[in-house]
Amino acid sequence: PVPQHATKENTLSPSDLGCAKALPSADGLDEEAAKLRGTRIHLLLEHFATIPVENWDAIALALLGDVPDLSDLIVEAKRVVTDPNLQFLFAKGSLCEIPITANLPEFPNRTLHGVVDRLIVNVADVWVVDFKTNISVPQSVESCPEGLLRQMGAYAHALTQVFPDHEVSTAILWTRTARLMALPHDLV
């Protein structure tokens, strides 16, 4: 017999584990505007990584139309994709927008399900990287919003089930500053 699948009520999203996901900022957007901005930058990053640079402006216009801040979004996405220190995130073989599902031993009737922005699987280790488009970027790992740390911890928990013989590492890519922040296991 096929086991019963988890219903929506029994599914927990890593991004819905509570606590703040952004630092306070006078320049911050309201939640809906911030989510829309994040979705747009994610879309540009996903496509810019797969097409020649000379086509980026045209593809951005085709994907997003004439949004008011399109040029700012393009500049931010270009800065990330062209940064030499971040090339491994967009290299051939890296995986984008990967759905993951895992059991939660602490909650036997709950299933964890989410989508990771980038997954890099090597022989001995796995990197899960989430793109964050926050206006205010934390200066240190210790000042990273707890909601994001919980989300990354959930991804790490899930991926240790998928890759039990690999070391799982987590990081946040802050698109505003094109900075990759590795997150220690004890913090997530």
Side-chain angles (χ1 to χ4, degrees):
V2 176
Q4 185 176 4
H5 70 282
T7 62
K8 185 156 179 76
E9 304 85 53
N10 293 338
T11 303
L12 187 62
S13 171
S15 58
D16 292 334
L17 296 177
C19 293
K21 294 190 179 59
L23 296 174
S25 169
D27 300 332
L29 303 170
D30 67 61
E31 187 175 352
E32 287 307 309
K35 285 181 179 179
L36 181 59
R37 180 179 182 280
T39 299
R40 289 172 172 166
I41 289 177
H42 276 72
L43 187 64
L44 294 178
L45 291 172
E46 185 178 338
H47 284 82
F48 284 5
T50 63
I51 61 173
V53 67
E54 60 270 11
N55 297 334
W56 287 358
D57 290 336
I59 198 71
L61 190 57
L63 290 169
L64 298 175
D66 196 18
V67 299
D69 60 345
L70 183 58
S71 61
D72 293 339
L73 300 175
I74 292 171
V75 167
E76 190 166 324
K78 281 181 179 179
R79 185 173 49 244
V80 169
V81 176
T82 59
D83 187 306
N85 297 317
L86 302 174
Q87 292 300 301
F88 76 101
L89 295 174
F90 305 102
K92 186 176 180 174
S94 68
L95 305 168
C96 71
E97 299 298 319
I98 301 300
I100 58 170
T101 302
N103 296 319
L104 294 170
E106 304 83 12
F107 305 98
N109 298 322
R110 303 288 307 260
T111 300
L112 182 74
H113 179 74
V115 177
V116 299
D117 293 332
R118 283 287 162 167
L119 188 64
I120 297 107
V121 180
N122 299 307
V123 173
D125 65 344
V126 174
W127 277 88
V128 56
V129 179
D130 205 49
F131 300 158
K132 295 300 178 192
T133 58
N134 300 29
I135 298 291
S136 182
V137 176
Q139 296 303 307
S140 68
V141 172
E142 294 76 22
S143 60
C144 190
E146 187 176 342
L148 300 181
L149 297 175
R150 289 180 180 200
Q151 178 182 359
M152 299 308 292
Y155 289 146
H157 173 78
L159 289 167
T160 57
Q161 292 178 35
V162 178
F163 299 99
D165 298 327
H166 288 68
E167 180 179 339
V168 176
S169 298
T170 58
I172 294 176
L173 172 61
W174 301 100
T175 63
R176 186 70 140 183
T177 57
R179 188 173 126 230
L180 189 67
M181 179 184 282
L183 302 170
H185 286 289
D186 62 338
L187 202 58
V188 298

